[in-house]
Amino acid sequence: MAKTRRLIEKNLKMIDVVVEILDARVPFSGRNPSFDDIIRSKPRLLVMNKSDLADPKRTDAWIKYYAERGLTVIPISCSTGKGINRIADMSRALIKDRLERDRERGINRSLKLMMVGIPNVGKSSLINRLAGRASTKTGDRPGVTRGEQWIRLRGGIELLDTPGILPPKFEDQDAARRLAYTGAIKDEIINIELLAYSLCDYLKENYPAELAERYKLTDISDAEGYEILEMIGRKRGCVISGGEIDTERAANLVIDELRASKIGLITLETPDDIIKD
């Protein structure tokens, strides 16, 4: 994180707009609070990627939440291309006065953007969409972008990509768990069964119809997370010798299906949750 912070601070003076990319399913927990300190007053555009996987009502609530705090937000999807063409126009709108002053002086320069975000929010996929080619490595795992990358885009835009950085530690365990659900934290350091138990609890409370429909469950209103996971394991044939449920296999199944949006359009937090936290 310290290395990436130095990289951002070194280049910030030449940047017009910082594009902070978020995962629309965790639009608060998926922000590194250090960015506020690093970026300070530099114009910033929040881009909520994976909006096609998120609950649209909750996405609208988050857009309103950030607008009330003076931040411009665009929901996009790198998978479908939705909203991506708005990024350049919205970035220019944020520095409209500066661009007009430059034109009056006869200066016609490129728009310089910096892309920041935590791992696994789709920064590289977004850049490839903007560039119209495979400019950067992409992958559905954290830590793909390793260093500084300048990329020239169409329409007179230069973009600086930076590695995704998580906060150095998670004091908020709820936020860490939400990030783990989406894959922003490496699965190798997580107890996947405990994670799936808590996810089943969350889905039961917030998306009971979607959970029941996906796994053909009947009455889960009084069931705990581990009980729901066992029900899912039984329904999906995750059974080992003696009829015991293979809860690790069931856990991986549920986590993978959440990430692939097979359970439904799920957002893992609301502005009200954050206020309560």
Side-chain angles (χ1 to χ4, degrees):
M1 178 175 172
K3 182 179 179 181
T4 302
R5 180 177 181 130
R6 287 194 297 271
L7 184 155
I8 293 172
E9 290 173 337
K10 180 185 75 172
N11 290 284
L12 200 58
K13 288 183 179 179
M14 70 179 76
I15 297 298
D16 295 309
V17 177
V18 175
V19 178
E20 183 180 351
I21 182 167
L22 316 174
D23 185 327
R25 299 166 298 175
V26 282
F28 188 88
S29 297
R31 296 189 71 200
N32 189 327
S34 298
F35 289 142
D36 290 334
D37 177 52
I38 300 169
I39 297 166
R40 296 183 292 277
S41 60
K42 181 69 67 172
R44 188 178 347 181
L45 179 66
L46 298 187
V47 173
M48 289 175 59
N49 187 29
K50 307 185 184 182
S51 61
D52 56 319
L53 307 181
D55 182 333
K57 290 183 179 179
R58 290 190 173 188
T59 296
D60 289 343
W62 280 110
I63 292 172
K64 179 181 178 183
Y65 172 88
Y66 283 122
E68 289 172 348
R69 286 153 181 79
L71 292 168
T72 302
V73 186
I74 303 176
I76 70 161
S77 167
C78 289
S79 298
T80 67
K82 171 192 169 185
I84 290 174
N85 291 336
R86 298 179 61 203
I87 293 175
D89 290 341
M90 295 298 289
S91 296
R92 288 190 173 95
L94 288 172
I95 57 166
K96 180 182 176 181
D97 293 344
R98 188 188 312 167
L99 291 175
E100 288 179 352
R101 287 196 302 270
D102 286 345
R103 277 194 293 270
E104 289 171 358
R105 297 169 184 165
I107 300 171
N108 186 18
R109 60 179 179 82
S110 60
L111 175 68
K112 289 185 170 60
L113 306 178
M114 177 187 288
M115 190 83 72
V116 301
I118 70 168
N120 206 40
V121 292
K123 288 195 291 94
S124 296
S125 296
L126 175 55
I127 291 168
N128 290 342
R129 274 279 190 174
L130 290 168
R133 64 186 188 278
S135 307
T136 64
K137 295 179 181 178
T138 63
D140 187 20
R141 64 188 189 281
V144 174
T145 302
R146 298 294 183 182
E148 175 181 339
Q149 299 184 75
W150 275 102
I151 298 136
R152 189 178 298 276
L153 307 177
R154 292 167 294 187
I157 300 172
E158 294 180 46
L159 189 147
L160 174 63
D161 187 19
T162 61
I165 51 173
L166 287 167
K169 63 180 180 178
F170 286 106
E171 296 177 357
D172 184 344
Q173 291 301 302
D174 289 333
R177 188 163 49 248
R178 291 167 188 145
L179 291 174
Y181 294 151
T182 67
I185 297 174
K186 293 180 179 179
D187 290 339
E188 292 82 357
I189 64 172
I190 296 166
N191 184 316
I192 201 72
E193 292 175 66
L194 292 179
L195 187 67
Y197 294 158
S198 65
L199 175 59
C200 287
D201 271 328
Y202 184 84
L203 294 175
K204 183 194 77 170
E205 295 299 325
N206 292 271
Y207 295 96
E210 290 85 349
L211 180 64
E213 171 63 24
R214 178 63 187 173
Y215 299 109
K216 309 305 178 190
L217 305 176
T218 51
D219 186 11
I220 59 172
S221 57
D222 294 326
E224 300 290 341
Y226 73 92
E227 294 173 313
I228 295 172
L229 187 65
E230 289 183 347
M231 294 178 195
I232 292 171
R234 188 170 291 106
K235 287 282 187 179
R236 289 297 186 88
C238 302
V239 181
I240 54 181
S241 59
E244 184 180 349
I245 304 300
D246 186 342
T247 50
E248 182 178 2
R249 182 180 162 198
N252 279 293
L253 184 150
V254 172
I255 296 294
D256 288 346
E257 293 198 346
L258 173 84
R259 293 173 183 173
S261 198
K262 292 181 179 179
I263 299 173
L265 301 180
I266 307 294
T267 298
L268 297 161
E269 56 193 2
T270 69
D272 288 340
D273 293 333
I274 302 307
I275 292 169
K276 284 188 293 185
D277 291 348

